[in-house]
Amino acid sequence: MESMKVVDYMDRQPVLLHANMTLAAAVDKLLAQKKLGAAVVNEQGILVGFLSQQDCLAVMLKSTYHCDLTANVSDCMRTDVLTVSRETPIITLAEQMLQAKPKIYPVVDEHKKVLGIVDRNAVLRAINISMQECYLKPA
């Protein structure tokens, strides 16, 4: 299981958002792609933040009272983003996810350029494959 790496299970075509996008456009993108969150990048694809559906919900709920959704992604995104590298072992990420940690991690290179996204579903799939292989081994 130690040989299973994030690179083998990450989404290589993640939804990427920009800080200057309207929150409404970002929400449309998340909903259309059925994603719980997305990395926020600059023009060079460098990670600058993360926006989750939960972040959006808090701002949108307040805005519904006044019908005045004018927020941008930069107003709602988190900048303290936990990331992983392509070579992070799946088992290490799974252990991290057992704590009160994010369910989605941007996968970045050494320059913080976003290469993909790995989520709890992908980690669970990897562990399930590993477990199935255990049962198929001859005794």
Side-chain angles (χ1 to χ4, degrees):
M1 183 123 156
E2 195 66 30
S3 64
M4 298 169 72
K5 305 288 184 196
V6 163
V7 68
D8 300 318
Y9 296 93
M10 70 185 200
D11 177 354
R12 295 168 190 268
Q13 297 180 326
V15 171
L16 297 176
L17 306 174
H18 296 280
N20 61 351
M21 288 176 78
T22 65
L23 187 61
V27 168
D28 284 343
K29 221 172 174 181
L30 290 174
L31 292 173
Q33 297 294 318
K34 296 182 170 113
K35 300 295 181 183
L36 296 177
V40 181
V41 297
N42 66 14
E43 295 75 29
Q44 293 78 37
I46 305 298
L47 183 70
V48 296
F50 191 87
L51 184 72
S52 70
Q53 284 183 352
Q54 185 172 354
D55 300 326
C56 298
L57 191 58
V59 173
M60 291 176 77
L61 186 58
K62 285 181 188 174
S63 295
T64 59
Y65 291 112
H66 306 289
C67 272
D68 66 346
L69 182 59
T70 59
N72 284 337
V73 168
S74 60
D75 299 324
C76 311
M77 71 183 195
R78 285 174 275 141
T79 56
D80 57 334
V81 183
L82 294 178
T83 63
V84 293
S85 78
R86 295 166 35 100
E87 297 304 311
T88 301
I90 286 289
I91 190 79
T92 301
L93 181 54
E95 289 169 347
Q96 265 187 272
M97 287 180 161
L98 289 175
Q99 309 305 314
K101 302 285 182 190
K103 301 169 185 75
I104 307 168
Y105 287 76
V107 181
V108 297
D109 67 11
E110 60 276 2
H111 305 293
K112 292 264 193 198
K113 182 171 176 134
V114 176
L115 305 172
I117 295 284
V118 64
D119 62 18
R120 189 169 47 192
N121 189 45
V123 172
L124 189 59
R125 187 173 349 105
I127 293 171
N128 187 47
I129 289 168
S130 178
M131 291 298 299
Q132 288 178 4
E133 288 171 1
C134 288
Y135 293 123
L136 295 176
K137 287 182 184 175

